[in-house]
Amino acid sequence: MNELVFFINNVVISGSVSGSIYAIGAVGVTLIFSIMRFAHFAHADVMTFGAFMVLLLTTAFPAAGASIGVPTALLMLPLAMLLTAGLAVGIDKLFYKPLRAHGVKPIVLVIASLGVTLILQGLIRLFSGTGGQSLYVDDRKEIFRLALPFEGVRAPIVVTEPQIYLFVITIVAVVALHLFLNRSRLGKAMRAMSDNPELAQASGINTNTIVAVTWMIAGALAAIAGTLLSLDVTFKPDLSFFLLLPIFAAAIVGGVGHPYGAIAGGFVVGFAETLAVFNWNILLRPFQDSFPSWLELPSNLAFVGTEYKIVVPFFILVAILVWRPTGLFKGKVIS
Amino acid sequence: MSHSAKTRDTSDTPQDATQTRRFPLRELVLFGVLLVAILAVYATMGAAYSTRMLVEAACYAILALGLTIQWGYAGQFNAGVMGFVALGGFCAMFFSVPVNDAFWGTTLPGEFGRVLLYGAAAILLIVGASKLDRLGVPKSLRTFITVVLGVVLYLVVISQLREVTDAIESQAGFVGGLGLPPWVGWIVGGALAGGVGYFIGHICLGLRSDYLAIATLGIAEIIKAFLKNSDWLTRGTATVSPLPWPTPGPAEVGFTLSRALYLSVTAVIIAVIFLLLNRAYNAPWGRMIRAIRDNEVSAAAMGKDINKRRLEIFVLGCILMGIGGGILGTFNSLFDPQGYLPLNHTFLVLVMVILGGPGNNLGTIFGAVAVYIIWIMSEPLALFLMQLAVAFGEGAFGWDTPGNMDSRALQARVLVIGVLITMVLRFAPKGLLPEKIKSHS
């Protein structure tokens, strides 16, 4: 049983944590792709920017959260979402819109977004330095240890406070997105434009509004994902290059342009990562006695070492591109 | 892809086409300015330093040529130049470093060979299992058997490999090199980079070019992670140095002369690559490539095999990057996997290409040398500007400046590269020396 608890701690919980973060990030990428038709490489840096805004606000008012009993960082999240949404719209106005007006190929927009990546990264590093910083400036990270009511189980299930917030916020964000896309006028217009831009424009949908709204949603979601990640670990200015590949893998696994697919893809990638680095020997050890004597299990039965974690999303990406390039849920144009 | 025909050829009016040979004023002016800049660097920074800068710029020119044929000739965007450069650097190290007797004198090579054999046998078994349906096994059962067999055999082989590599690390340090001349490593590095390029290109063929960018970005990080963490092969963060040069080293003839000799070697290589590329560009093959880039549909209608040509271009570009990475690695005389950074080895090359003129080899070489000089000189300049700002801030507003200003000033270069990329794309999408489009009327 202790082994099972270990499995839950190391795979189920940490897989859902990274899965939620990838899912929220991938939704933004996939929405941008479905409206603007290009892979937005700067998304991971928009996430970092959101987290950085939270860090700045939290450092400015460290005691604000204590009055209502939540960490200050969480209280500042809505404000940071607003700022990041503004940033995303601003980036589009400044960098992508002129290029779109020129009618360039989508790949030129991809290169421009790499330029934006570097600009954001440079700015964040310039102001925050290169080291890691905790978002818990004045508060304390609570750690909950849930002991299981079984005989002989000594190890508790460990969940930290930011992880609980993370699950709650992810569920809220997904439900809100679902309601927006299916119930609101703007959401329906967005889906129409993603399906057929010319037809959407011909039927009186203001495409400029849709583009702006898409950037705002993607920016706000990116701020959530970046903040939750930084709450769980620490804030680092160079988070983005480690996030880019899992997020794109998630978006492609789910079918590009498919928000629900991106959520599923995020969890697929998150769990695949944790399952691949998990040492399976721990689960097999209790059955060691029942194995034939010639079979001696090596002490490390992980598929890849933690240092090669990045191989996992890449492997998933390659596999999906080879076998099912449209993704699990039939995605958009790929040729 | 449908706009591509519109975006390319706005300046290409019939008058231009009939004007057979125009005086290359623009080229002369730009290269003249470049020459003055190089001379200024020589005058201020000394000959040894400036020659080193020129050699590095020449290595970057090879990388930029690789990228310019991918991006400029074929419209493929490679966001993982760093990975191919690192592969080239690794091969240059592996082939030229002296033989390590602590490894080859023991039973370890045999053990390692045995694991490799296991790996080969495992692959054969899995491939065999995936063909079981030909023997009448139902397809779902075949898939199940293949997957289970794959997982089990993978775990067996990987744990054997871990044992052997741990043994190598503890007993011999690392595998060591082969003690061959560096140019062998450069060629193999190019071939290896080309092989990886073939793998990536083959998967992403026929998909949107965004997918190629994502996949190359990923493979670059993976190659770096592998080289950084395989201490048994590369000594990882402990780094390997010195790497022998093909020319006499600084210890024999002094810094300036040895670097000048190395520069002449790279210059010859660039000249050869340049001539071959120009030949290919003007040959029917090059015309076909441009036809595919400018209008895929009509090229396909003419019976051209688009995907095959694209793969050729992509692999060729990767080979050049591997060779350039090998030459750069040997020149640095140090193999440090952590020294390969996306900024220095991917985005800097990208700026060189789009600023110099994608698809124009001369423009690309100009861009490479010019951007590299700016890049190198920006380091002292950024520090100076930062100190000026800090001094001003402390004097005027009593700022309390953090201590790590130096490292932050260097981060400003990230910002500058990003601004450059976005500005060039917007205001000079064809670069300083645009590709000359000929039409034969």
Side-chain angles (χ1 to χ4, degrees), chain A residues 36-72:
Chain A
M36 257 72 70
R37 317 265 162 184
F38 76 100
H40 187 227
F41 273 60
H43 203 71
D45 281 285
V46 177
M47 283 164 75
T48 319
F49 178 86
F52 182 55
M53 287 297 109
V54 171
L55 179 69
L56 280 187
L57 289 168
T58 314
T59 331
F61 313 98
S67 51
I68 55 166
V70 292
T72 315

Side-chain angles (χ1 to χ4, degrees), chain B residues 181-223:
Chain B
W183 55 265
V184 182
W186 300 349
I187 293 172
V188 178
L192 199 61
V196 173
Y198 180 83
F199 168 70
I200 296 285
H202 194 73
I203 291 169
C204 299
L205 267 185
L207 300 176
R208 270 179 66 113
S209 27
D210 308 37
Y211 287 70
L212 186 71
I214 298 168
T216 45
L217 197 77
I219 197 84
E221 289 297 326
I222 288 174
I223 290 172

Side-chain angles (χ1 to χ4, degrees), chain B residues 106-190:
Chain B
T106 57
T107 53
L108 288 171
E111 303 256 316
F112 188 68
R114 186 176 52 93
V115 173
L116 286 186
L117 274 182
Y118 282 174
I123 290 172
L124 275 181
L125 266 177
I126 295 167
V127 170
S130 70
K131 302 262 192 286
L132 269 180
D133 53 327
R134 303 209 180 151
L135 296 177
V137 180
K139 273 205 168 168
S140 50
L141 185 63
R142 171 212 61 174
T143 314
F144 179 74
I145 291 177
T146 312
V147 169
V148 170
L149 202 65
V151 168
V152 171
L153 287 179
Y154 169 79
L155 283 176
V156 169
V157 172
I158 202 81
S159 54
Q160 295 270 332
L161 187 69
R162 274 181 197 141
E163 271 173 33
V164 174
T165 52
D166 285 351
I168 291 174
E169 232 167 275
S170 58
Q171 290 173 31
F174 81 125
V175 170
L178 298 177
L180 296 171
W183 55 265
V184 182
W186 300 349
I187 293 172
V188 178

Side-chain angles (χ1 to χ4, degrees), chain B residues 19-299:
Chain B
Q19 211 175 8
T20 44
R21 198 166 264 278
R22 152 187 88 85
F23 183 68
L25 182 66
R26 194 173 184 147
E27 280 84 349
L28 275 182
V29 169
L30 284 176
F31 274 94
V33 171
L34 189 63
L35 190 69
V36 171
I38 292 174
L39 289 178
V41 174
Y42 264 89
T44 51
M45 309 298 287
Y49 181 91
S50 314
T51 319
R52 194 190 85 199
M53 183 188 77
L54 278 187
V55 179
E56 284 165 356
C59 297
Y60 271 90
I62 301 177
L63 306 181
L65 283 174
L67 192 65
T68 208
I69 61 175
Q70 288 178 344
W71 169 237
Y73 286 15
Q76 293 165 325
F77 177 49
N78 183 346
V81 181
M82 175 189 85
F84 301 100
V85 175
L87 268 186
F90 162 70
C91 283
M93 183 277 284
F94 183 69
F95 280 86
S96 65
V97 162
V99 175
N100 183 3
D101 288 323
F103 170 69
W104 291 104
T106 57
T107 53
L108 288 171
E111 303 256 316
F112 188 68
R114 186 176 52 93
V115 173
L116 286 186
L117 274 182
Y118 282 174
I123 290 172
L124 275 181
L125 266 177
I126 295 167
V127 170
S130 70
K131 302 262 192 286
L132 269 180
D133 53 327
R134 303 209 180 151
L135 296 177
V137 180
K139 273 205 168 168
S140 50
L141 185 63
R142 171 212 61 174
T143 314
F144 179 74
I145 291 177
T146 312
V147 169
V148 170
L149 202 65
V151 168
V152 171
L153 287 179
Y154 169 79
L155 283 176
V156 169
V157 172
I158 202 81
S159 54
Q160 295 270 332
L161 187 69
R162 274 181 197 141
E163 271 173 33
V164 174
T165 52
D166 285 351
I168 291 174
E169 232 167 275
S170 58
Q171 290 173 31
F174 81 125
V175 170
L178 298 177
L180 296 171
W183 55 265
V184 182
W186 300 349
I187 293 172
V188 178
L192 199 61
V196 173
Y198 180 83
F199 168 70
I200 296 285
H202 194 73
I203 291 169
C204 299
L205 267 185
L207 300 176
R208 270 179 66 113
S209 27
D210 308 37
Y211 287 70
L212 186 71
I214 298 168
T216 45
L217 197 77
I219 197 84
E221 289 297 326
I222 288 174
I223 290 172
K224 185 180 167 185
F226 174 73
L227 293 177
K228 195 167 87 183
N229 293 305
S230 305
D231 287 16
W232 58 279
L233 189 63
T234 63
R235 287 184 62 183
T237 46
T239 73
V240 184
S241 69
L243 311 184
W245 282 11
T247 52
E252 294 153 45
V253 292
F255 278 109
T256 313
L257 185 58
S258 63
R259 285 172 182 168
L261 285 174
Y262 202 100
L263 181 63
S264 52
V265 172
T266 46
V268 169
I269 295 174
I270 290 181
V272 170
I273 294 174
F274 182 82
L275 289 177
L276 288 177
L277 282 183
N278 261 11
R279 180 91 181 75
Y281 183 87
N282 293 318
W285 182 82
R287 219 156 41 230
M288 174 166 60
I289 295 296
R290 276 167 291 154
I292 291 174
R293 176 195 64 193
D294 291 341
N295 197 333
E296 211 178 295
V297 178
S298 57

Side-chain angles (χ1 to χ4, degrees), chain A residues 188-202:
Chain A
K188 285 178 192 166
M190 228 167 110
R191 278 164 53 216
M193 190 169 160
S194 132
D195 286 340
N196 189 335
E198 282 86 21
L199 193 60
Q201 203 162 16

Side-chain angles (χ1 to χ4, degrees), chain A residues 33 37-39 41 94-95 98-99 102-108 110-112 114-116 118-119 121-123 125-130 241-242 244-245 248 252 256 298 300-305 307-308 310-311 314 317-318 321-322 325 333-335, chain B residues 1 3-4 7-8 71 75 77 79 151 154-155 158-159 162 199-200 203-204 206-211 213-215 217-219 221-222 225-226 229-230 293 342-343 347 350 354 386 404 407-409 411-412 414-415 417-419 421-423 425-426:
Chain A
F33 197 104
R37 317 265 162 184
F38 76 100
F41 273 60
L94 207 58
F95 297 111
L99 287 177
H102 257 273
V104 297
K105 291 186 209 167
I107 193 71
V108 176
V110 172
I111 300 181
L114 275 170
V116 172
L118 296 181
I119 293 178
Q121 226 171 66
L123 281 178
R125 286 187 190 176
L126 201 61
F127 287 105
S128 80
T130 40
F241 271 113
F242 302 97
L244 215 48
L245 197 58
F248 276 106
I252 293 170
V256 172
N300 186 358
L301 262 188
F303 284 92
V304 292
E307 65 272 25
Y308 295 122
I310 194 162
V311 176
F314 184 77
L317 182 74
V318 166
L321 287 183
V322 168
V333 277
I334 46 158
S335 56
Chain B
M1 284 290 160
H3 329 281
S4 50
T7 53
R8 270 288 157 186
W71 169 237
F77 177 49
V151 168
Y154 169 79
L155 283 176
I158 202 81
S159 54
R162 274 181 197 141
F199 168 70
I200 296 285
I203 291 169
C204 299
L207 300 176
R208 270 179 66 113
S209 27
D210 308 37
Y211 287 70
I214 298 168
L217 197 77
I219 197 84
E221 289 297 326
I222 288 174
F226 174 73
N229 293 305
S230 305
R293 176 195 64 193
L343 182 70
F347 298 117
L350 179 66
I354 60 175
M386 202 60 152
N404 53 358
S407 78
R408 289 195 191 196
Q411 300 307 328
V414 183
L415 184 72
I417 291 283
V419 172
I421 291 179
T422 48
M423 288 298 117
L425 282 181
R426 182 164 166 191

